[in-house]
Amino acid sequence: VVLLLAQASAFAALSPSAPQLLNSPYCQSNCLGGRVPLGLSQHGSAARMLGLRDAANRKASFPTLRMSGGEGSATAVFVYVSCKSGTEDAFKAASLDNAKNSVQEEGIARFDCVQQQDDPTKFVLVEVYKNGDAPAAHKETAHYKTWRETVADMMAVDRKAVKYTNCFPASFEEWDVPAALAGGAAESGKDDLLAVHVFVTCKEGTADSFKAASLENAKNSVKEPGIARFDVVQNTEDKNKFCLIEVYRNGDAPAAHKETAHYKTWRETVEDMMAEPRSALKYSNCFPATDANW
């Protein structure tokens, strides 16, 4: 209920007519069930309402067992893999099977697999753990051991891991995959999403200011209809290093994002905090396969 009220409040801020729409009997009886009032499409916020409705539905479906009950420190491990040429499909197949089983582990919130667009031999596994014991527990599972043995001879070089701490979202429940996926349900279909990893190194002494500006940008960015996720994580070994994980629903969304007031404010605010120009890598989603599971 709290999550639904929060989503409704966020939508109310988007349009002056939102309160009337949200409080109308038709909307209350149908919006969260999968339909949008006819009048909503006329005031220009249908896509935003759909996004808020879907987010509310997904978050309301999280099983209590997987929720932290509030904010917490998660560890996001980025595992970088370079495969031998010709093994990409086999690596992807093994990694998808591992990921599908991994998200069912109690200590894992997410286990994303993405493939680099300009070099399909390169993959990143984004593993989000909910406690300090979870990584070791994961490595004791049968599916991890099977994956490790299966892909061992596919590696062009040793895989590398970089650890981050979550900044945004702050709560575990917003990192969790939907309940159905965590329960082992198979995905139906495939949505082609663009995941952009933006790497930032701040000047010494500016990390807190950069984080504050980036959190404000992220909170507004996730409201954009073309954005599926907008995460902010901080390197655990070097507090001046951050990664922004931006997941876009279509090819037009990145340009639309850069035209928003919150992005322009962020860009101007952090400009003098950069120790070096920020860099970005573009990936295609492998797992989860569908927009709804991001």
Side-chain angles (χ1 to χ4, degrees):
V1 173
V2 172
L3 286 168
L4 291 174
L5 289 173
Q7 296 291 352
S9 297
F11 177 63
L14 297 175
S15 170
S17 60
Q20 292 87 347
L21 289 164
L22 289 167
N23 291 324
S24 69
Y26 188 87
C27 183
Q28 291 189 10
S29 63
N30 290 296
C31 282
L32 295 179
R35 295 189 292 272
V36 179
L38 179 62
L40 182 59
S41 62
Q42 296 173 353
H43 86 60
S45 295
R48 291 177 186 263
M49 181 61 188
L50 283 168
L52 290 170
R53 183 207 69 203
D54 290 343
N57 281 340
R58 292 205 302 270
K59 288 176 175 58
S61 70
F62 290 142
T64 304
L65 189 62
R66 290 182 63 87
M67 293 174 63
S68 70
E71 297 186 357
S73 179
T75 298
V77 182
F78 287 33
V79 180
Y80 292 92
V81 175
S82 292
C83 297
K84 295 175 182 176
S85 181
T87 67
E88 300 94 334
D89 289 344
F91 175 83
K92 185 189 298 186
S95 297
L96 294 189
D97 188 64
N98 180 48
K100 291 172 186 176
N101 284 283
S102 296
V103 293
Q104 298 179 52
E105 296 176 42
E106 180 58 32
I108 290 180
R110 302 194 63 82
F111 208 97
D112 304 336
C113 176
V114 294
Q115 185 174 23
Q116 193 166 312
Q117 291 192 342
D118 61 2
D119 186 349
T121 65
K122 294 183 178 179
F123 294 81
V124 182
L125 309 180
V126 180
E127 309 171 5
V128 182
Y129 296 98
K130 300 166 84 168
N131 58 66
D133 297 328
H138 169 63
K139 291 182 178 180
E140 291 301 317
T141 62
H143 52 267
Y144 169 77
K145 292 178 180 179
T146 297
W147 174 83
R148 184 185 60 194
E149 294 173 5
T150 302
V151 305
D153 292 336
M154 302 179 192
M155 303 290 98
V157 296
D158 292 340
R159 56 186 180 273
K160 181 182 71 172
V162 181
K163 295 181 180 180
Y164 293 89
T165 301
N166 65 306
C167 299
F168 182 86
S171 63
F172 287 131
E173 63 201 53
E174 293 178 284
W175 282 95
D176 268 331
V177 296
L181 195 63
E187 293 190 275
S188 176
K190 174 71 164 65
D191 296 318
D192 294 324
L193 305 180
L194 168 64
V196 182
H197 292 185
V198 180
F199 300 96
V200 174
T201 301
C202 298
K203 295 176 182 175
E204 192 67 38
T206 66
D208 288 344
S209 296
F210 175 83
K211 184 189 297 187
S214 297
L215 295 189
E216 184 64 24
N217 180 49
K219 290 172 185 176
N220 286 284
S221 296
V222 293
K223 299 174 185 177
E224 297 175 40
I227 290 181
R229 291 195 68 84
F230 204 100
D231 306 330
V232 181
V233 293
Q234 185 175 23
N235 192 295
T236 59
E237 295 184 356
D238 186 342
K239 300 302 183 183
N240 293 318
K241 293 182 181 293
F242 294 82
C243 181
L244 312 181
I245 308 170
E246 308 172 4
V247 183
Y248 296 97
R249 293 189 165 106
N250 56 66
D252 296 328
H257 169 63
K258 291 182 179 179
E259 291 301 316
T260 61
H262 51 268
Y263 169 78
K264 292 178 180 179
T265 296
W266 174 83
R267 184 185 61 193
E268 293 173 4
T269 301
V270 304
E271 183 176 6
D272 292 335
M273 301 178 192
M274 303 290 98
E276 59 189 41
R278 57 186 179 273
S279 61
L281 288 172
K282 296 180 179 180
Y283 298 91
S284 298
N285 63 306
C286 300
F287 182 85
T290 62
D291 182 342
N293 286 329
W294 280 85

